[in-house]
Amino acid sequence: MENGHAKNRVAVIGSGNWGCVASRLIASNTTKLPSFYDEVRMWVFEEVLLTGNKLSESINQVNENCKYLPGIKLGANVIADPDLENAVKDANMLVFVTPHQFVEGICKKLVGKLRLGAQAISLIKGMEVKTEGPCMISKLITDILGINCCVLMGANIASEIAVEKFSEATIGYKKDKEVAIRWAKLFTMPYFLVSIVEDIEGVELCGTLKNVVAIAAGLVDGLDMGNNTKAAIMRIGLREMCAFSKLLFPSVRDNTFFESCGVADLITTCLGGRNRRVAEAFARNGGKRSFDELEAEMLHGQKLQGVSTAKEVYEVLTYRGWQELFPLLSTVHEICIGQLPPTSIVEYRIH
Amino acid sequence: MENGHAKNRVAVIGSGNWGCVASRLIASNTTKLPSFYDEVRMWVFEEVLLTGNKLSESINQVNENCKYLPGIKLGANVIADPDLENAVKDANMLVFVTPHQFVEGICKKLVGKLRLGAQAISLIKGMEVKTEGPCMISKLITDILGINCCVLMGANIASEIAVEKFSEATIGYKKDKEVAIRWAKLFTMPYFLVSIVEDIEGVELCGTLKNVVAIAAGLVDGLDMGNNTKAAIMRIGLREMCAFSKLLFPSVRDNTFFESCGVADLITTCLGGRNRRVAEAFARNGGKRSFDELEAEMLHGQKLQGVSTAKEVYEVLTYRGWQELFPLLSTVHEICIGQLPPTSIVEYRIH
């Protein structure tokens, strides 16, 4: 019990790589925190495995997701459930961690099915930046379900957190600090430190815009320009992420970009990550093979978020006449579509 | 002529790797800017080369420093001069770029020998952080010579700038913005962008404190903890650099840490650099071989700045009772002296 309120019950909507790791973190904490029921229900988009078993049944039998997070026990109190409504019906804390294109459909199915006073948090990176304004995933959830929604972002490579390597995350919230603290308690582990900031837009935009900067960093790698140039490009990228976010939402705060969701996630993404990797290959080929072609070859059907985000951001910049203010963000798109050569990434001037 | 003032004349004090690259940048600009005399006089600490030639004569014969920057032409207007007084006597803009232990002696020799209204800039990283307050190199120059001194710091690997790879730098100044702009003009190239900030202490502290964080990053590398953990440690390090600087000098500004001298130099130093490299070896040996031993083996007599700066910072923290506020900076020192194992770098809590 916390502050005399009813005990909290958590449901995780999604059971991919990050969804399983999140469930594992949460399940470890719910057994320790008296204000939470132990059980964590995890909604599974049902699949039939090659063995003929159903994914949800397999998870409940071996306490592992053998397809998306093999070798990692989730915790005995994680219960896989293929029935969305059933998974969430008793929960007052909902964790959204699905691919971003499924959020809208899932939310529509849940309208009128949630407990009174339910709270949500989104772990989903990849909002779209539309000309009429960014389509924040937290806002989509709030608008459809009429509930408050925080976000959790950061330098979070699921496979590294799964084996308990030290890292951090940032929770962005809007007004209700008590709820943000409750979410932070639910995720925090000695190897996973969570901070909270009252800047939901800043936190969520970081998780998307960093992919554009990762393309720039990958181009520098492919041009063999060295760490000095790469560091300069990452810095300029961070500055433009911050300035762009502030123009879109004047409430966005500089300090958010010093949090895990900002500089740390940017560093991780620019050191590893597929956006960086494909952009490196693009530059090594002198821009002669398109991103589409390289993506198909290197990512087996997955699409690069950075390329599409760069295009969306570019549309906003041209529509609003902000292009000159964001030379790096603009240049990345112009290189992606073959309008400029890869070497242009280091040839613009800072305004 | 600029604003009706007399034409500017530049002398560079130092001719090592970075000194030569700085002279080359400056010499390229003085020929283009009408407010500067073309000639750049570069003071050379005279050495006799293996060929029997004097270093200064060799530089003037081939327009290269064949010992410290072989293969790079400095510009015909760079004149090497082994006579310190003669090198500076006509200059009103003095660039200090020597090893930091020589600054005091050089300044003492120059007392009373400078032109009226002379200005200085220091490119020297490696101020000492003494218990009674940091010993800023810019302040040392100002105190001894009674002249204004700016600083230029950033992600500046001399060998990469020498071959004109894109990078940036930050000039920190105190009050006199017009002078800072004049310095920025003198260094800026299409591949070398220079910004100015009114925060000399913040800029200069960045150049020193980053080496402590690089030790932490190297430990993470040696423990094979992956990019996620490394990014988290770099972020925490950046935050502590900023907070520590602000406690020492309340005038220090957060934004300085978003400049090249802050986040970009930190990234470069944590990706490459000898502090990172030796710390990696230290962790791989489980802390069983001391930093002294590894330094001697890996650096051939050079000392690691990060280890001594960590010690100096630790003395300030314990003296002022700030230790708990800076878990990363404290832990690095305790690991360096063998009081904690290398794995402790990811075992503290953020306050």
mmCIF file of all heavy atoms in Angstrom, chain A residues 191-226:
data_model
loop_
_atom_site.group_PDB
_atom_site.id
_atom_site.type_symbol
_atom_site.label_atom_id
_atom_site.label_comp_id
_atom_site.label_asym_id
_atom_site.label_seq_id
_atom_site.Cartn_x
_atom_site.Cartn_y
_atom_site.Cartn_z
ATOM 1 N N TYR A 191 21.807 -1.939 -11.189
ATOM 2 C CA TYR A 191 22.514 -1.784 -12.462
ATOM 3 C C TYR A 191 21.706 -0.983 -13.487
ATOM 4 O O TYR A 191 22.110 -0.852 -14.640
ATOM 5 C CB TYR A 191 22.860 -3.162 -13.044
ATOM 6 C CG TYR A 191 21.643 -4.027 -13.336
ATOM 7 C CD1 TYR A 191 20.972 -3.930 -14.544
ATOM 8 C CD2 TYR A 191 21.160 -4.927 -12.384
ATOM 9 C CE1 TYR A 191 19.857 -4.699 -14.802
ATOM 10 C CE2 TYR A 191 20.044 -5.701 -12.645
ATOM 11 C CZ TYR A 191 19.395 -5.585 -13.854
ATOM 12 O OH TYR A 191 18.276 -6.326 -14.105
ATOM 13 N N PHE A 192 20.564 -0.441 -13.073
ATOM 14 C CA PHE A 192 19.711 0.305 -14.007
ATOM 15 C C PHE A 192 19.131 1.507 -13.271
ATOM 16 O O PHE A 192 18.138 1.408 -12.560
ATOM 17 C CB PHE A 192 18.592 -0.614 -14.528
ATOM 18 C CG PHE A 192 17.831 -0.044 -15.711
ATOM 19 C CD1 PHE A 192 18.446 0.071 -16.947
ATOM 20 C CD2 PHE A 192 16.504 0.363 -15.589
ATOM 21 C CE1 PHE A 192 17.758 0.588 -18.043
ATOM 22 C CE2 PHE A 192 15.817 0.886 -16.679
ATOM 23 C CZ PHE A 192 16.437 0.992 -17.902
ATOM 24 N N LEU A 193 19.789 2.656 -13.433
ATOM 25 C CA LEU A 193 19.404 3.852 -12.688
ATOM 26 C C LEU A 193 18.452 4.701 -13.514
ATOM 27 O O LEU A 193 18.692 4.957 -14.687
ATOM 28 C CB LEU A 193 20.651 4.663 -12.332
ATOM 29 C CG LEU A 193 21.750 3.903 -11.578
ATOM 30 C CD1 LEU A 193 22.891 4.845 -11.221
ATOM 31 C CD2 LEU A 193 21.200 3.222 -10.344
ATOM 32 N N VAL A 194 17.369 5.106 -12.881
ATOM 33 C CA VAL A 194 16.325 5.836 -13.605
ATOM 34 C C VAL A 194 16.131 7.212 -12.991
ATOM 35 O O VAL A 194 15.925 7.336 -11.783
ATOM 36 C CB VAL A 194 14.998 5.049 -13.558
ATOM 37 C CG1 VAL A 194 13.910 5.787 -14.330
ATOM 38 C CG2 VAL A 194 15.188 3.636 -14.113
ATOM 39 N N SER A 195 16.225 8.257 -13.825
ATOM 40 C CA SER A 195 15.942 9.604 -13.328
ATOM 41 C C SER A 195 14.624 10.090 -13.929
ATOM 42 O O SER A 195 14.161 9.534 -14.926
ATOM 43 C CB SER A 195 17.079 10.550 -13.710
ATOM 44 O OG SER A 195 17.135 10.667 -15.119
ATOM 45 N N ILE A 196 14.034 11.072 -13.305
ATOM 46 C CA ILE A 196 12.779 11.621 -13.839
ATOM 47 C C ILE A 196 12.961 13.097 -14.185
ATOM 48 O O ILE A 196 13.672 13.823 -13.488
ATOM 49 C CB ILE A 196 11.604 11.460 -12.838
ATOM 50 C CG1 ILE A 196 11.870 12.234 -11.535
ATOM 51 C CG2 ILE A 196 11.346 9.996 -12.523
ATOM 52 C CD1 ILE A 196 10.622 12.413 -10.690
ATOM 53 N N VAL A 197 12.368 13.516 -15.301
ATOM 54 C CA VAL A 197 12.403 14.934 -15.667
ATOM 55 C C VAL A 197 11.023 15.369 -16.153
ATOM 56 O O VAL A 197 10.336 14.616 -16.833
ATOM 57 C CB VAL A 197 13.453 15.252 -16.768
ATOM 58 C CG1 VAL A 197 14.861 15.004 -16.276
ATOM 59 C CG2 VAL A 197 13.202 14.475 -18.032
ATOM 60 N N GLU A 198 10.648 16.580 -15.776
ATOM 61 C CA GLU A 198 9.327 17.090 -16.166
ATOM 62 C C GLU A 198 9.440 17.708 -17.561
ATOM 63 O O GLU A 198 9.462 18.928 -17.722
ATOM 64 C CB GLU A 198 8.847 18.130 -15.140
ATOM 65 C CG GLU A 198 7.380 18.488 -15.349
ATOM 66 C CD GLU A 198 6.854 19.451 -14.301
ATOM 67 O OE1 GLU A 198 7.600 19.743 -13.338
ATOM 68 O OE2 GLU A 198 5.703 19.918 -14.449
ATOM 69 N N ASP A 199 9.580 16.841 -18.567
ATOM 70 C CA ASP A 199 9.773 17.319 -19.937
ATOM 71 C C ASP A 199 9.505 16.146 -20.879
ATOM 72 O O ASP A 199 10.403 15.581 -21.483
ATOM 73 C CB ASP A 199 11.218 17.822 -20.110
ATOM 74 C CG ASP A 199 11.502 18.305 -21.526
ATOM 75 O OD1 ASP A 199 10.564 18.370 -22.351
ATOM 76 O OD2 ASP A 199 12.680 18.603 -21.810
ATOM 77 N N ILE A 200 8.256 15.777 -20.960
ATOM 78 C CA ILE A 200 7.917 14.581 -21.726
ATOM 79 C C ILE A 200 8.276 14.744 -23.206
ATOM 80 O O ILE A 200 8.802 13.814 -23.826
ATOM 81 C CB ILE A 200 6.425 14.207 -21.510
ATOM 82 C CG1 ILE A 200 6.132 12.826 -22.072
ATOM 83 C CG2 ILE A 200 5.492 15.254 -22.090
ATOM 84 C CD1 ILE A 200 4.849 12.224 -21.545
ATOM 85 N N GLU A 201 8.047 15.922 -23.764
ATOM 86 C CA GLU A 201 8.345 16.117 -25.190
ATOM 87 C C GLU A 201 9.842 16.008 -25.460
ATOM 88 O O GLU A 201 10.262 15.387 -26.430
ATOM 89 C CB GLU A 201 7.827 17.475 -25.677
ATOM 90 C CG GLU A 201 6.310 17.564 -25.788
ATOM 91 C CD GLU A 201 5.646 18.012 -24.505
ATOM 92 O OE1 GLU A 201 6.364 18.244 -23.487
ATOM 93 O OE2 GLU A 201 4.403 18.144 -24.488
ATOM 94 N N GLY A 202 10.644 16.639 -24.614
ATOM 95 C CA GLY A 202 12.098 16.592 -24.784
ATOM 96 C C GLY A 202 12.600 15.156 -24.755
ATOM 97 O O GLY A 202 13.383 14.734 -25.605
ATOM 98 N N VAL A 203 12.137 14.401 -23.756
ATOM 99 C CA VAL A 203 12.600 13.018 -23.608
ATOM 100 C C VAL A 203 12.187 12.188 -24.828
ATOM 101 O O VAL A 203 12.997 11.447 -25.394
ATOM 102 C CB VAL A 203 12.043 12.393 -22.310
ATOM 103 C CG1 VAL A 203 12.391 10.911 -22.224
ATOM 104 C CG2 VAL A 203 12.589 13.134 -21.087
ATOM 105 N N GLU A 204 10.948 12.344 -25.257
ATOM 106 C CA GLU A 204 10.466 11.510 -26.369
ATOM 107 C C GLU A 204 11.120 11.912 -27.691
ATOM 108 O O GLU A 204 11.456 11.050 -28.515
ATOM 109 C CB GLU A 204 8.932 11.570 -26.464
ATOM 110 C CG GLU A 204 8.380 10.410 -27.273
ATOM 111 C CD GLU A 204 6.868 10.190 -27.124
ATOM 112 O OE1 GLU A 204 6.263 10.752 -26.183
ATOM 113 O OE2 GLU A 204 6.303 9.467 -27.957
ATOM 114 N N LEU A 205 11.353 13.198 -27.889
ATOM 115 C CA LEU A 205 12.006 13.641 -29.136
ATOM 116 C C LEU A 205 13.454 13.139 -29.224
ATOM 117 O O LEU A 205 13.923 12.780 -30.299
ATOM 118 C CB LEU A 205 11.957 15.172 -29.249
ATOM 119 C CG LEU A 205 10.655 15.713 -29.853
ATOM 120 C CD1 LEU A 205 10.477 17.188 -29.510
ATOM 121 C CD2 LEU A 205 10.610 15.527 -31.369
ATOM 122 N N CYS A 206 14.155 13.109 -28.096
ATOM 123 C CA CYS A 206 15.527 12.567 -28.078
ATOM 124 C C CYS A 206 15.566 11.183 -28.714
ATOM 125 O O CYS A 206 16.438 10.875 -29.526
ATOM 126 C CB CYS A 206 16.036 12.428 -26.639
ATOM 127 S SG CYS A 206 16.646 13.933 -25.902
ATOM 128 N N GLY A 207 14.616 10.330 -28.305
ATOM 129 C CA GLY A 207 14.608 8.935 -28.735
ATOM 130 C C GLY A 207 14.432 8.770 -30.235
ATOM 131 O O GLY A 207 14.767 7.726 -30.798
ATOM 132 N N THR A 208 13.918 9.799 -30.896
ATOM 133 C CA THR A 208 13.679 9.742 -32.336
ATOM 134 C C THR A 208 14.775 10.458 -33.124
ATOM 135 O O THR A 208 15.311 9.929 -34.090
ATOM 136 C CB THR A 208 12.314 10.417 -32.640
ATOM 137 O OG1 THR A 208 11.310 9.622 -32.029
ATOM 138 C CG2 THR A 208 12.049 10.506 -34.120
ATOM 139 N N LEU A 209 15.112 11.675 -32.673
ATOM 140 C CA LEU A 209 16.043 12.514 -33.430
ATOM 141 C C LEU A 209 17.465 11.959 -33.437
ATOM 142 O O LEU A 209 18.218 12.150 -34.394
ATOM 143 C CB LEU A 209 16.047 13.944 -32.870
ATOM 144 C CG LEU A 209 14.725 14.700 -32.998
ATOM 145 C CD1 LEU A 209 14.817 16.053 -32.294
ATOM 146 C CD2 LEU A 209 14.337 14.892 -34.465
ATOM 147 N N LYS A 210 17.831 11.228 -32.381
ATOM 148 C CA LYS A 210 19.190 10.663 -32.312
ATOM 149 C C LYS A 210 19.512 9.788 -33.528
ATOM 150 O O LYS A 210 20.660 9.666 -33.928
ATOM 151 C CB LYS A 210 19.362 9.850 -31.034
ATOM 152 C CG LYS A 210 18.320 8.734 -30.967
ATOM 153 C CD LYS A 210 18.706 7.542 -30.163
ATOM 154 C CE LYS A 210 17.740 6.414 -30.537
ATOM 155 N NZ LYS A 210 17.995 5.168 -29.841
ATOM 156 N N ASN A 211 18.481 9.163 -34.101
ATOM 157 C CA ASN A 211 18.732 8.285 -35.248
ATOM 158 C C ASN A 211 19.222 9.058 -36.472
ATOM 159 O O ASN A 211 19.953 8.520 -37.296
ATOM 160 C CB ASN A 211 17.468 7.496 -35.598
ATOM 161 C CG ASN A 211 17.146 6.456 -34.546
ATOM 162 O OD1 ASN A 211 18.039 5.824 -33.992
ATOM 163 N ND2 ASN A 211 15.871 6.295 -34.241
ATOM 164 N N VAL A 212 18.815 10.298 -36.599
ATOM 165 C CA VAL A 212 19.292 11.128 -37.710
ATOM 166 C C VAL A 212 20.782 11.445 -37.498
ATOM 167 O O VAL A 212 21.587 11.390 -38.436
ATOM 168 C CB VAL A 212 18.478 12.439 -37.823
ATOM 169 C CG1 VAL A 212 18.943 13.250 -39.024
ATOM 170 C CG2 VAL A 212 16.986 12.141 -37.925
ATOM 171 N N VAL A 213 21.136 11.753 -36.250
ATOM 172 C CA VAL A 213 22.541 12.056 -35.948
ATOM 173 C C VAL A 213 23.402 10.797 -36.133
ATOM 174 O O VAL A 213 24.560 10.878 -36.574
ATOM 175 C CB VAL A 213 22.687 12.617 -34.515
ATOM 176 C CG1 VAL A 213 24.131 13.013 -34.248
ATOM 177 C CG2 VAL A 213 21.761 13.817 -34.313
ATOM 178 N N ALA A 214 22.828 9.630 -35.832
ATOM 179 C CA ALA A 214 23.569 8.378 -36.012
ATOM 180 C C ALA A 214 23.905 8.142 -37.485
ATOM 181 O O ALA A 214 24.956 7.587 -37.808
ATOM 182 C CB ALA A 214 22.769 7.205 -35.457
ATOM 183 N N ILE A 215 23.017 8.586 -38.376
ATOM 184 C CA ILE A 215 23.322 8.498 -39.819
ATOM 185 C C ILE A 215 24.550 9.367 -40.113
ATOM 186 O O ILE A 215 25.484 8.940 -40.793
ATOM 187 C CB ILE A 215 22.129 8.998 -40.672
ATOM 188 C CG1 ILE A 215 20.872 8.170 -40.406
ATOM 189 C CG2 ILE A 215 22.512 9.048 -42.158
ATOM 190 C CD1 ILE A 215 20.602 7.047 -41.325
ATOM 191 N N ALA A 216 24.550 10.571 -39.572
ATOM 192 C CA ALA A 216 25.688 11.482 -39.781
ATOM 193 C C ALA A 216 26.983 10.862 -39.254
ATOM 194 O O ALA A 216 28.017 10.885 -39.925
ATOM 195 C CB ALA A 216 25.414 12.822 -39.096
ATOM 196 N N ALA A 217 26.912 10.274 -38.062
ATOM 197 C CA ALA A 217 28.103 9.656 -37.457
ATOM 198 C C ALA A 217 28.593 8.487 -38.308
ATOM 199 O O ALA A 217 29.798 8.298 -38.491
ATOM 200 C CB ALA A 217 27.784 9.186 -36.034
ATOM 201 N N GLY A 218 27.653 7.714 -38.843
ATOM 202 C CA GLY A 218 28.021 6.584 -39.699
ATOM 203 C C GLY A 218 28.698 7.053 -40.984
ATOM 204 O O GLY A 218 29.654 6.425 -41.460
ATOM 205 N N LEU A 219 28.234 8.162 -41.534
ATOM 206 C CA LEU A 219 28.862 8.723 -42.740
ATOM 207 C C LEU A 219 30.315 9.087 -42.445
ATOM 208 O O LEU A 219 31.215 8.799 -43.228
ATOM 209 C CB LEU A 219 28.095 9.960 -43.225
ATOM 210 C CG LEU A 219 26.658 9.724 -43.731
ATOM 211 C CD1 LEU A 219 25.941 11.052 -43.957
ATOM 212 C CD2 LEU A 219 26.644 8.891 -45.006
ATOM 213 N N VAL A 220 30.546 9.722 -41.287
ATOM 214 C CA VAL A 220 31.911 10.099 -40.894
ATOM 215 C C VAL A 220 32.787 8.846 -40.777
ATOM 216 O O VAL A 220 33.930 8.825 -41.236
ATOM 217 C CB VAL A 220 31.897 10.876 -39.560
ATOM 218 C CG1 VAL A 220 33.314 11.096 -39.042
ATOM 219 C CG2 VAL A 220 31.187 12.217 -39.726
ATOM 220 N N ASP A 221 32.230 7.791 -40.196
ATOM 221 C CA ASP A 221 32.980 6.525 -40.095
ATOM 222 C C ASP A 221 33.330 6.000 -41.491
ATOM 223 O O ASP A 221 34.459 5.565 -41.726
ATOM 224 C CB ASP A 221 32.144 5.464 -39.362
ATOM 225 C CG ASP A 221 32.097 5.700 -37.856
ATOM 226 O OD1 ASP A 221 32.947 6.451 -37.344
ATOM 227 O OD2 ASP A 221 31.205 5.129 -37.195
ATOM 228 N N GLY A 222 32.354 6.050 -42.382
ATOM 229 C CA GLY A 222 32.569 5.531 -43.730
ATOM 230 C C GLY A 222 33.567 6.354 -44.530
ATOM 231 O O GLY A 222 34.195 5.863 -45.470
ATOM 232 N N LEU A 223 33.723 7.609 -44.154
ATOM 233 C CA LEU A 223 34.683 8.492 -44.829
ATOM 234 C C LEU A 223 36.063 8.426 -44.155
ATOM 235 O O LEU A 223 36.987 9.127 -44.566
ATOM 236 C CB LEU A 223 34.176 9.943 -44.797
ATOM 237 C CG LEU A 223 32.880 10.230 -45.584
ATOM 238 C CD1 LEU A 223 32.303 11.585 -45.196
ATOM 239 C CD2 LEU A 223 33.133 10.161 -47.089
ATOM 240 N N ASP A 224 36.171 7.598 -43.103
ATOM 241 C CA ASP A 224 37.433 7.454 -42.352
ATOM 242 C C ASP A 224 37.978 8.795 -41.875
ATOM 243 O O ASP A 224 39.162 9.093 -42.043
ATOM 244 C CB ASP A 224 38.495 6.749 -43.213
ATOM 245 C CG ASP A 224 38.152 5.274 -43.422
ATOM 246 O OD1 ASP A 224 37.726 4.631 -42.456
ATOM 247 O OD2 ASP A 224 38.300 4.787 -44.555
ATOM 248 N N MET A 225 37.104 9.607 -41.292
ATOM 249 C CA MET A 225 37.530 10.936 -40.860
ATOM 250 C C MET A 225 38.076 10.946 -39.425
ATOM 251 O O MET A 225 38.565 11.968 -38.972
ATOM 252 C CB MET A 225 36.378 11.930 -40.958
ATOM 253 C CG MET A 225 35.632 11.867 -42.268
ATOM 254 S SD MET A 225 35.810 13.259 -43.394
ATOM 255 C CE MET A 225 36.673 14.482 -42.536
ATOM 256 N N GLY A 226 37.932 9.857 -38.694
ATOM 257 C CA GLY A 226 38.532 9.807 -37.355
ATOM 258 C C GLY A 226 37.608 10.281 -36.250
ATOM 259 O O GLY A 226 36.547 10.866 -36.490
#
